[in-house]
């Protein structure tokens, strides 16, 4: 059964193959090479092309399809340990590449069409006004300028520069990272607890500053609470935490 297609509808053999694949609704990664080859050769038999360059391209693709078809029909060696390469792989890669460029050309054509529909208004400003340049009399412009006015302008500009400076951050020097060791902090907390007996967590934090100090101190108190050195209590939610020292091996 013949295929009612015309050569003018295709730009080359790859274009024809894509048409046959889409027409038969087959997976491009699993081309039924026998069916496609038969339809391709059927189309070739109906071609009436005088341009040998165009004809030669279709003949080369026909020979490629016949070669792939013959390789697909040959029996595979049963004792072969290596996995045989699919004879269609190279053709599939060429078709995918061609398809990508083809769709890209459609996108560019659409953009060209949209651009052709855009119109820009020609400049309507009269040439006399467009080329007009006002003459400036610098002598008249600076006639009332005095040294005091220049000083005022200078002071105003400098004040704007001062206003841009952050009054707080500008006084910052180098920020040194405060290294806090949890083992050393535990020794400090234990000495502080032995000296004061019972105290609040807030009082303990008064001996340092910074988020790192608070975190390490809190972890130290928790660790010492696990070992039984410290006992903590809190009467109400959000009240200050009360810490009590309990001697090792004794009672608080």
């Amino acid at each position: 059964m013949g295929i009612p297609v015309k050569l003018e509808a295709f730009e080359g053999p790859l274009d024809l193959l894509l048409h046959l694949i889409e027409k038969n609704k087959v997976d491009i990664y699993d081309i039924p090479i026998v069916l496609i080859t038969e339809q391709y050769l059927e189309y070739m038999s109906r071609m009436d092309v005088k341009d040998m360059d165009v004809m030669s391209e279709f003949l080369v693709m026909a020979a490629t399809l016949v070669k792939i078809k013959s390789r697909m029909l040959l029996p595979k060696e049963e004792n072969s340990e290596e996995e045989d390469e699919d004879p269609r792989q190279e053709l599939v890669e060429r078709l995918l590449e061609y398809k990508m460029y083809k769709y890209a050309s459609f996108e560019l054509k659409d953009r060209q069409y949209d651009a052709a529909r855009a119109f820009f208004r020609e400049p309507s400003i009269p040439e006399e006004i467009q080329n007009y340049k006002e003459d400036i009399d610098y002598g008249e412009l600076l006639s009332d300028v005095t040294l005091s006015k220049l000083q005022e302008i200078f002071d105003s500009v400098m004040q704007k520069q001062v206003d841009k400076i952050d009054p707080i951050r500008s006084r910052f020097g180098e920020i040194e990272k405060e290294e806090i060791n949890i083992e050393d902090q535990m020794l400090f907390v234990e000495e502080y607890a032995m000296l004061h007996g019972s105290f609040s967590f807030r009082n303990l934090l008064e001996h340092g500053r910074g988020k790192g100090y608070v975190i390490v101190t809190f972890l130290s108190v928790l660790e010492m609470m696990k070992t039984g050195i410290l006992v903590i209590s809190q009467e109400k939610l959000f009240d200050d935490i009360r810490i009590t020292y309990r001697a090792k091996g004794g009672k608080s």
Side-chain angles (χ1 to χ4, degrees):
M1 182 178 178
I3 305 175
V5 292
K6 295 182 180 180
L7 179 63
E8 288 76 15
F10 307 105
E11 298 179 358
L14 290 175
D15 201 26
L16 173 58
L17 283 177
L18 278 179
H19 168 75
L20 295 176
I21 290 172
E22 293 174 357
K23 180 181 178 182
N24 290 279
K25 298 180 180 180
V26 296
D27 186 0
I28 195 172
Y29 293 98
D30 189 19
I31 302 173
I33 200 67
V34 176
L35 174 64
I36 297 299
T37 302
E38 290 177 355
Q39 293 184 0
Y40 185 91
L41 294 176
E42 177 69 19
Y43 173 79
M44 287 281 298
S45 65
R46 295 176 178 271
M47 288 180 60
D48 183 17
V49 182
K50 295 180 180 180
D51 190 342
M52 293 305 299
D53 290 335
V54 176
M55 189 65 180
S56 62
E57 293 180 3
F58 282 86
L59 288 172
V60 170
M61 180 56 68
T64 302
L65 290 173
V66 172
K67 181 180 178 181
I68 295 174
K69 177 181 177 181
S70 62
R71 291 180 60 187
M72 295 284 292
L73 295 175
L74 287 175
K76 297 181 181 180
E77 297 182 6
E78 297 181 357
N79 298 330
S80 178
E81 297 180 357
E82 298 181 359
E83 185 177 354
D84 294 334
E85 182 180 355
D86 193 334
R88 302 169 295 179
Q89 181 177 349
E90 183 178 353
L91 178 62
V92 171
E93 292 175 356
R94 291 177 59 188
L95 284 169
L96 290 173
E97 185 177 6
Y98 175 78
K99 187 176 182 179
M100 178 183 66
Y101 285 112
K102 182 178 180 180
Y103 287 164
S105 68
F106 290 159
E107 179 67 21
L108 293 174
K109 187 175 181 180
D110 291 340
R111 293 190 180 187
Q112 182 182 9
Y113 176 74
D114 293 338
R117 298 172 61 186
F119 298 94
F120 298 91
R121 181 180 176 182
E122 296 292 335
S124 59
I125 301 176
E127 186 176 352
E128 297 79 6
I129 299 177
Q130 186 176 2
N131 298 328
Y132 173 75
K133 292 183 179 180
E134 184 179 2
D135 295 330
I136 301 176
D137 187 351
Y138 292 100
E140 182 181 355
L141 184 64
L142 301 176
S143 60
D144 59 343
V145 176
T146 61
L147 289 176
S148 60
K149 286 189 175 181
L150 289 176
Q151 184 65 42
E152 290 177 5
I153 296 172
F154 177 78
D155 293 340
S156 176
V157 173
M158 295 305 296
Q159 183 61 41
K160 290 180 179 178
Q161 297 298 322
V162 173
D163 293 341
K164 291 181 180 179
I165 300 175
D166 192 316
I168 299 177
R169 292 185 176 89
S170 62
R171 297 191 180 95
F172 285 170
E174 294 184 359
I175 301 177
E176 297 181 359
K177 183 178 180 181
E178 186 177 0
E179 298 290 344
I180 305 176
N181 186 284
I182 190 169
E183 287 80 8
D184 294 339
Q185 189 67 5
M186 287 176 65
L187 292 176
F188 167 76
V189 172
E190 185 173 3
E191 293 176 357
Y192 185 88
M194 291 173 62
L195 181 63
H196 294 82
S198 180
F199 53 93
S200 70
F201 185 65
R202 188 185 301 275
N203 296 140
L204 184 61
L205 295 180
E206 292 176 354
H207 295 271
R209 60 182 179 179
K211 185 183 296 184
Y213 180 83
V214 175
I215 294 173
V216 174
T217 304
F218 185 70
L219 292 176
S220 301
V221 171
L222 291 179
E223 191 66 28
M224 297 173 70
M225 184 187 69
K226 292 179 182 178
T227 58
I229 299 176
L230 299 179
V231 178
I232 64 174
S233 61
Q234 187 180 37
E235 294 183 2
K236 297 181 181 179
L237 188 64
F238 302 120
D239 280 358
D240 197 3
I241 299 174
R242 196 72 187 170
I243 303 174
T244 304
Y245 174 71
R246 184 169 61 183
K248 297 179 181 178
K251 297 182 180 180
S252 57

